[in-house]
Amino acid sequence: MANIYCTKKLEKLIGKKNMAANPSENLLGNWNANIFTFKQRKCLILVNEETYYSVLFLDVLKADILNFHHLFYERLIEQLTYDHIHFPHEYSPKILNDLQPIFLPTNNNRRILGVMNQFISDTVFHIDYFFEGKLADVDVSFINNKLTTDLVKALMVKGEGDTWTNGQPITAMKTKISECCHP
């Protein structure tokens, strides 16, 4: 099961009765989720705690959130495919089972919240810049790819001398999936 830690704002929308009490084990790690509005439309962003890989949902309805298990799997696979991140076909059932989301109350991970807020700000900028603010015209995979290919300081590690390792969420997710599928 995919553990999705919700911000207080999202927790309020989902309702306490739809929240799980305990996290479960999973391949891809925990996710944090936040809801934000753009032009009076609800949008949802999920960020993986380990890789900072994000999955973006635009123009979300409450019914979508309550039927989130199908939506999350489909949108994540769509984004992974767009980003050329593949896992072996024989792992599909395991990944499908592992991506059944369970909502949990906030874990108050300030580092993730900071990255999420930056991604939200970047999303708004990209929609305004590339799509002139027209939500109906937005290619969500394109915007999401922009977020995952930008450098994230929280992922960067100082190497020898003045060199830094790659701080791209897309690279970190490729590595994570490779480790999960080829232990």
Side-chain angles (χ1 to χ4, degrees), residues 22-163:
N22 299 314
S24 66
E25 292 291 320
N26 60 71
L27 286 175
L28 298 179
N30 297 327
W31 297 79
N32 282 34
N34 194 3
I35 195 152
F36 63 100
T37 56
F38 180 79
K39 304 240 177 174
Q40 299 177 338
R41 296 291 184 193
K42 288 184 177 86
C43 302
L44 183 67
I45 186 165
L46 280 83
V47 177
N48 185 279
E49 273 187 9
E50 294 175 41
T51 65
Y52 295 94
Y53 190 80
S54 63
V55 180
L56 191 60
F57 301 84
L58 302 177
D59 200 9
V60 177
L61 304 173
K62 187 169 182 174
D64 294 331
I65 293 172
L66 297 177
N67 189 27
F68 198 65
H69 55 284
H70 293 295
L71 188 64
F72 178 57
Y73 177 78
E74 289 171 10
R75 181 71 195 95
L76 178 61
I77 297 303
E78 176 187 330
Q79 192 61 48
L80 290 171
T81 302
Y82 186 91
D83 291 337
H84 305 289
I85 301 174
H86 306 284
F87 51 87
H89 184 69
E90 64 269 15
Y91 279 86
S92 292
K94 174 82 174 131
I95 297 283
L96 176 61
N97 183 53
D98 222 48
L99 291 178
Q100 296 300 315
I102 59 170
F103 293 112
L104 297 157
T106 186
N107 60 359
N108 290 319
N109 184 330
R110 292 187 347 198
R111 181 177 285 200
I112 284 288
L113 290 173
V115 169
M116 235 184 324
N117 286 333
Q118 182 61 49
F119 282 174
I120 290 168
S121 176
D122 291 349
T123 297
V124 170
F125 170 79
H126 291 315
I127 292 171
D128 283 338
Y129 184 79
F130 291 107
F131 301 96
E132 298 173 354
K134 297 176 185 163
L135 200 56
D137 296 340
V138 172
D139 178 353
V140 69
S141 294
F142 172 79
I143 298 292
N144 210 125
N145 179 266
K146 289 293 217 185
L147 299 177
T148 60
T149 54
D150 286 344
L151 294 177
V152 174
K153 188 173 180 180
L155 277 175
M156 297 179 74
V157 178
K158 188 167 176 147
E160 292 184 33
D162 289 333
T163 61

Side-chain angles (χ1 to χ4, degrees), residues 161-173:
D162 289 333
T163 61
W164 290 82
T165 60
N166 188 336
Q168 291 179 315
I170 193 169
T171 305
M173 184 55 91

